Amino acid sequence: NGGLPLVATTWRFTNATLRAYQSLTVGEFDPIEALVEGCSVCEREQCDGTVGFGGSPDENGETTLDAMLMDGKTMDIGAVAALRDVKHAAEVAKYVLRNTKHTLLVGSQATEFAVMMGFKKESLQTDASRGMWSAWKNNHCQPNFWKNVIPSPSMSCGPYEPVSANTIHHNADSSLDNPTDRSSFEFGQYNHD
Amino acid sequence: TISMIVINEEGHVVAGTSTNGARNKIPGRVGDSPIPGAGAYADSEVGAAVATGDGDVMMRFLPSLLAVEAMRAGLDPEAAGQQAIGRIAKYYPTFSGGIVVVTKDGRYGAACHGMEEFPYSVADRTVSDGDVRVLTVKC
């Protein structure tokens, strides 16, 4: 049992937690500002490679960012998803919250919004993220998130095309798909949403 | 992902997330983090919850919303988190994820699945200045 004010954070991201707490108590920021301050620490520090630029490359080697802020008093929300080429996702989400009547902006259009709000456009790739992507590519693109496609996603990289519904129905093997089995994706401390 | 709950002295509850998502995702894929009720949910009348893990699965169950609603129905934070995570594990026994749940007056708990343990960080009035408490919950 704690006492207010309080900040609680997933994982061992203590610098982010402390920054948010001090923003509340010393800086006397409002809770949304404190939340953004805290999350931004992790974006800069690339916490566990799971936050900010240079982590979790997609199949093309690109890093994209997602962030959301929810105000539990007004039920107002600002969020961005698949934000490309802008490092400060939580800050951009704050602009969605404060400067629009929308909830969620995505992809390249979210980038255009961020640039309009004064953010710099820059690549989110780093040597580390390029290395992660190369290792995955050299490992025949394993693991990946495809199913019911050819060539077999459990052995080959794409490009893929869908197998016919008929084939899926009659082929018990169909990419060995067990829809509830998530064990091969290696989610954990260093790979998670 | 960092998922965070902030409550000020007046009981104003907010919650949020920031992430670069899952490794090796298909371009354009988004997980639970930016989805209200999935990655985070806050209601100053009750409290808040924030989640982390396999977002493709978690976003199908809105665990943060479930946990807040469970608290509204009377459960303590840990039980509310367990109920939300348990709902997912029933359908996806090999999924990996965790949730942190806090009441509007600062009581907190966590629950997890598919990992050995799940750490989370807390700073509040009971911790000496400049300190953050790291707690872990067994999954």
Side-chain angles (χ1 to χ4, degrees), chain B residues 25-43:
Chain B
K25 56 185 160 293
I26 297 170
R29 176 270 192 193
V30 170
D32 62 324
S33 298
I35 309 298
Y41 196 75
D43 185 336

Side-chain angles (χ1 to χ4, degrees), chain A residues 9-57:
Chain A
T9 306
T10 52
W11 308 104
R12 294 175 195 274
F13 300 149
T14 52
N15 289 346
T17 309
L18 184 60
R19 179 58 173 267
Y21 188 73
Q22 290 182 334
S23 297
L24 266 186
T25 55
V26 183
E28 297 182 354
F29 287 16
D30 75 52
I32 288 286
E33 293 282 354
L35 176 63
V36 171
E37 283 288 311
C39 289
S40 297
V41 167
C42 257
E43 291 173 0
R44 285 193 295 274
E45 294 185 352
Q46 302 167 286
C47 287
D48 281 351
T50 66
V51 187
F53 68 101
S56 305

Side-chain angles (χ1 to χ4, degrees), chain A residues 54-129:
Chain A
S56 305
D58 67 15
E59 288 196 343
N60 295 333
E62 182 179 0
T63 296
T64 55
L65 303 180
D66 311 324
M68 174 182 54
L69 313 169
M70 179 168 190
D71 186 326
K73 196 154 85 176
T74 62
M75 306 313 274
D76 198 4
I77 292 173
V80 289
L83 176 68
R84 315 175 81 173
D85 300 323
V86 177
K87 282 186 175 174
H88 310 289
E91 280 279 357
V92 178
K94 189 179 78 181
Y95 278 84
V96 177
L97 180 76
R98 300 267 203 244
N99 299 97
T100 82
K101 295 176 182 176
H102 289 309
T103 301
L104 171 63
L105 300 181
V106 306
S108 300
Q109 291 97 331
T111 306
E112 286 170 26
F113 169 81
V115 169
M116 209 185 298
M117 295 295 106
F119 290 85
K120 191 169 90 177
K121 215 172 150 181
E122 56 193 319
S123 171
L124 304 188
Q125 269 195 336
T126 61
D127 288 345
S129 68

Side-chain angles (χ1 to χ4, degrees), chain B residues 18-62:
Chain B
S18 178
T19 188
N20 54 31
R23 216 183 294 156
N24 315 319
K25 56 185 160 293
I26 297 170
R29 176 270 192 193
V30 170
D32 62 324
S33 298
I35 309 298
Y41 196 75
D43 185 336
S44 286
E45 290 183 354
V46 181
V50 290
T52 180
D54 179 348
D56 288 308
V57 166
M58 298 181 85
M59 69 195 298
R60 299 173 192 181
F61 295 86
L62 301 179

